[in-house]
């Protein structure tokens, strides 16, 4: 129940109150031209919006008295969605790809894995390199560090170490990021 209430609260914060939803006695009114008209009774503000055939929108509900603006709400929402789409276009999504190694990996297998990581890094993705130690291999974690360092050297022309190899339980992980990023 608590999570549901919080979700409803977030939805309400995104949607602005418009026209009849505004039940405040007094509001600070801004005209459609951006001119401040001062503190006006709520009913009068709604009547002014109806006269101009526009919507009355509460843009700052936390202010005392709340700030309302006369505007075309449909046009306003369209502009907002346009801005959000533009912001999403500019974001770059970075994926994290994983390459798994073993502490006693052969040289050729290491080169094949490094070629795979090379492709990921050249596409702009980050790479998580992991080694899982099984059974008695836990006694030879130094081999894991050596394998990780060799791997980092093989992909050094396109990637750099973002997070050095670290041992957490039976897993050793290292993160590589593309050099151009």
């Amino acid at each position: 129940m608590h999570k549901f209430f919080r979700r409803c609260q977030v939805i309400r914060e995104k949607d602005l109150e418009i026209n009849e939803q505004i039940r405040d006695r007094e509001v600070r009114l801004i005209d459609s031209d951006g001119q401040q008209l001062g503190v006006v009774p709520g009913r009068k503000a709604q009547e002014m919006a109806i006269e101009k055939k526009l919507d009355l929108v509460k843009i700052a509900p936390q202010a005392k008295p709340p700030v309302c603006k006369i505007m075309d709400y449909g046009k306003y929402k369209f502009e907002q969605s346009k801005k959000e789409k533009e912001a999403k276009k500019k974001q770059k999504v970075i994926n994290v790809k994983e390459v798994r190694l073993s502490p006693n990996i052969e040289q050729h297998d290491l080169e094949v894995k490094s070629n795979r990581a090379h492709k990921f890094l050249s596409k702009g993705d980050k790479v998580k390199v992991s080694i899982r130690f099984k059974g008695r291999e836990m006694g030879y974690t130094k081999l894991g560090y050596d394998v990780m360092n060799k791997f980092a050297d093989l992909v050094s022309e396109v990637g750099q170490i973002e997070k050095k190899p670290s041992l957490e339980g039976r897993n050793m992980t290292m993160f590589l990021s593309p050099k151009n990023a």
Side-chain angles (χ1 to χ4, degrees), residues 103-104 131-145 166-172:
N104 49 5
I131 297 177
R132 176 151 177 90
F133 293 96
K134 301 172 189 164
R136 293 185 180 165
E137 290 175 347
M138 278 302 293
Y140 302 99
T141 55
K142 187 174 180 341
L143 288 174
Y145 286 108
S166 62
L167 188 64
E168 297 161 9
R170 292 191 163 276
N171 295 321
M172 182 180 288

Side-chain angles (χ1 to χ4, degrees), residues 51-114:
E51 282 176 19
K52 293 187 176 191
K53 295 182 180 174
L54 293 172
D55 299 308
L56 182 68
V57 182
K58 190 189 287 188
I59 55 173
Q62 69 279 0
K64 299 284 182 206
V67 180
C68 294
K69 186 173 183 180
I70 297 174
M71 66 170 87
D72 184 357
Y73 186 64
K75 186 177 179 183
Y76 173 76
K77 280 189 78 171
F78 175 73
E79 298 275 328
Q80 290 300 103
S81 65
K82 206 171 172 184
K83 284 179 185 175
E84 286 176 15
K85 283 181 185 176
E86 201 63 37
K88 280 185 181 179
K89 280 183 186 176
K90 291 178 183 175
Q91 285 181 343
K92 186 172 186 332
V93 178
I94 297 175
N95 294 326
V96 178
K97 303 287 188 174
E98 184 173 6
V99 176
R100 291 185 183 165
L101 307 173
S102 67
N104 49 5
I105 191 168
E106 294 294 323
Q107 182 63 32
H108 177 70
D109 295 337
L110 189 66
E111 288 170 4
V112 169
K113 299 276 186 171
S114 69

Side-chain angles (χ1 to χ4, degrees), residues 10-32:
V10 170
I11 290 169
R12 268 191 236 119
E13 285 174 5
K14 285 183 182 175
D15 292 335
L16 301 172
E17 291 181 13
I18 59 169
N19 299 331
E20 291 80 31
Q21 294 174 344
I22 301 171
R23 300 192 185 279
D24 298 303
R25 288 185 188 197
E26 290 186 331
V27 294
R28 185 172 302 279
L29 190 62
I30 300 173
D31 196 11
S32 56

